[in-house]
Coordinates of all heavy atoms in Angstrom, one line a residue:
G1308 N 128.6 58.7 60.7 CA 127.6 58.9 59.7 C 127.0 57.6 59.1 O 127.3 56.5 59.7
C1309 N 126.3 57.7 58.0 CA 125.7 56.6 57.4 C 125.6 56.8 55.9 O 125.2 57.9 55.4 CB 124.3 56.4 58.0 SG 123.4 54.9 57.3
N1310 N 125.9 55.7 55.2 CA 125.8 55.7 53.7 C 124.6 54.8 53.4 O 124.6 53.6 53.7 CB 127.0 55.2 53.0 CG 126.8 55.0 51.5 OD1 127.2 54.0 51.0 ND2 126.3 56.0 50.9
I1311 N 123.5 55.4 52.8 CA 122.3 54.7 52.5 C 122.1 54.7 51.0 O 122.1 55.8 50.4 CB 121.1 55.3 53.3 CG1 119.8 54.5 53.0 CG2 120.9 56.8 53.1 CD1 118.6 54.9 53.9
Y1312 N 121.9 53.6 50.4 CA 121.8 53.5 49.0 C 120.8 52.3 48.6 O 120.5 51.5 49.4 CB 123.1 53.3 48.3 CG 123.8 52.0 48.8 CD1 123.7 50.8 48.0 CD2 124.6 51.9 49.9 CE1 124.4 49.7 48.4 CE2 125.2 50.8 50.3 CZ 125.1 49.6 49.5 OH 125.8 48.5 49.9
G1313 N 120.4 52.3 47.4 CA 119.5 51.3 46.9 C 118.6 51.8 45.8 O 118.9 52.7 45.1
T1314 N 117.4 51.1 45.7 CA 116.5 51.4 44.7 C 115.1 51.4 45.3 O 114.7 50.6 46.1 CB 116.5 50.3 43.6 OG1 117.8 50.3 43.0 CG2 115.5 50.6 42.5
L1315 N 114.3 52.4 44.9 CA 112.9 52.6 45.3 C 112.0 52.6 44.1 O 112.2 53.3 43.1 CB 112.8 53.9 46.1 CG 111.4 54.4 46.5 CD1 110.8 53.5 47.5 CD2 111.4 55.8 47.0
M1316 N 111.0 51.8 44.2 CA 110.0 51.7 43.1 C 108.7 52.5 43.6 O 108.2 52.2 44.6 CB 109.6 50.3 42.8 CG 110.8 49.4 42.3 SD 111.6 50.1 40.8 CE 110.3 50.0 39.6
A1317 N 108.3 53.5 42.8 CA 107.2 54.3 43.2 C 106.3 54.5 42.0 O 106.6 54.2 40.8 CB 107.7 55.7 43.6
Q1318 N 105.0 54.9 42.2 CA 104.1 55.2 41.2 C 104.6 56.4 40.4 O 105.2 57.3 40.9 CB 102.7 55.5 41.7 CG 102.0 54.3 42.5 CD 101.6 53.2 41.5 OE1 101.3 53.5 40.3 NE2 101.5 52.0 42.0
K1319 N 104.3 56.3 39.0 CA 104.8 57.4 38.2 C 103.8 58.6 38.2 O 103.2 58.9 37.2 CB 105.0 56.9 36.8 CG 105.9 57.8 35.9 CD 106.1 57.1 34.5 CE 107.0 58.0 33.7 NZ 107.3 57.4 32.4
V1320 N 103.7 59.1 39.4 CA 102.9 60.3 39.6 C 103.7 61.3 40.6 O 104.8 60.8 41.1 CB 101.6 60.0 40.3 CG1 100.7 59.2 39.3 CG2 101.8 59.3 41.6
A1321 N 103.3 62.5 40.7 CA 104.0 63.4 41.6 C 104.0 62.9 43.0 O 103.1 62.3 43.5 CB 103.3 64.8 41.5
G1322 N 105.1 63.1 43.7 CA 105.3 62.7 45.0 C 106.6 63.1 45.6 O 107.2 64.0 45.1
N1323 N 107.0 62.4 46.7 CA 108.3 62.7 47.3 C 108.8 61.5 48.0 O 108.0 60.6 48.4 CB 108.2 63.9 48.2 CG 107.6 63.6 49.5 OD1 108.2 63.1 50.4 ND2 106.3 64.0 49.6
F1324 N 110.1 61.4 48.2 CA 110.7 60.5 49.1 C 111.7 61.3 50.0 O 112.3 62.3 49.5 CB 111.4 59.3 48.4 CG 112.5 59.7 47.5 CD1 113.8 59.7 47.9 CD2 112.3 60.1 46.2 CE1 114.9 60.1 47.1 CE2 113.3 60.5 45.4 CZ 114.6 60.5 45.8
H1325 N 111.8 60.9 51.2 CA 112.7 61.7 52.1 C 113.4 60.8 53.1 O 112.9 59.7 53.4 CB 111.8 62.8 52.8 CG 110.6 62.2 53.5 ND1 109.4 62.1 52.9 CD2 110.4 61.9 54.8 CE1 108.5 61.6 53.7 NE2 109.1 61.5 54.9
F1326 N 114.5 61.3 53.6 CA 115.3 60.6 54.6 C 115.1 61.4 55.9 O 115.4 62.5 56.0 CB 116.8 60.6 54.2 CG 117.0 59.8 52.9 CD1 117.0 60.5 51.7 CD2 117.2 58.5 52.9 CE1 117.2 59.9 50.5 CE2 117.5 57.8 51.7 CZ 117.5 58.5 50.5
S1327 N 114.5 60.6 56.9 CA 114.2 61.3 58.1 C 114.7 60.4 59.3 O 115.4 59.4 59.1 CB 112.7 61.5 58.2 OG 112.0 60.2 58.2
L1328 N 114.3 60.8 60.5 CA 114.7 60.0 61.7 C 113.6 59.1 62.2 O 113.5 58.8 63.4 CB 115.0 61.0 62.8 CG 116.1 62.1 62.5 CD1 116.5 62.9 63.7 CD2 117.3 61.5 61.8
H1329 N 112.7 58.7 61.3 CA 111.6 57.8 61.6 C 112.0 56.4 62.0 O 111.1 55.5 62.3 CB 110.5 57.8 60.5 CG 109.8 59.1 60.4 ND1 109.2 59.5 59.2 CD2 109.6 60.1 61.3 CE1 108.6 60.7 59.4 NE2 108.9 61.1 60.6
A1330 N 113.3 56.1 61.9 CA 113.7 54.7 62.3 C 113.5 54.5 63.8 O 113.5 53.3 64.2 CB 115.2 54.5 61.8

Side-chain angles (χ1 to χ4, degrees):
C1309 181
N1310 174 225
I1311 180 169
Y1312 61 96
T1314 301
L1315 171 68
M1316 300 302 296
Q1318 295 290 333
K1319 198 173 181 181
V1320 295
N1323 76 80
F1324 62 95
H1325 52 275
F1326 299 91
S1327 63
L1328 307 186
H1329 289 158

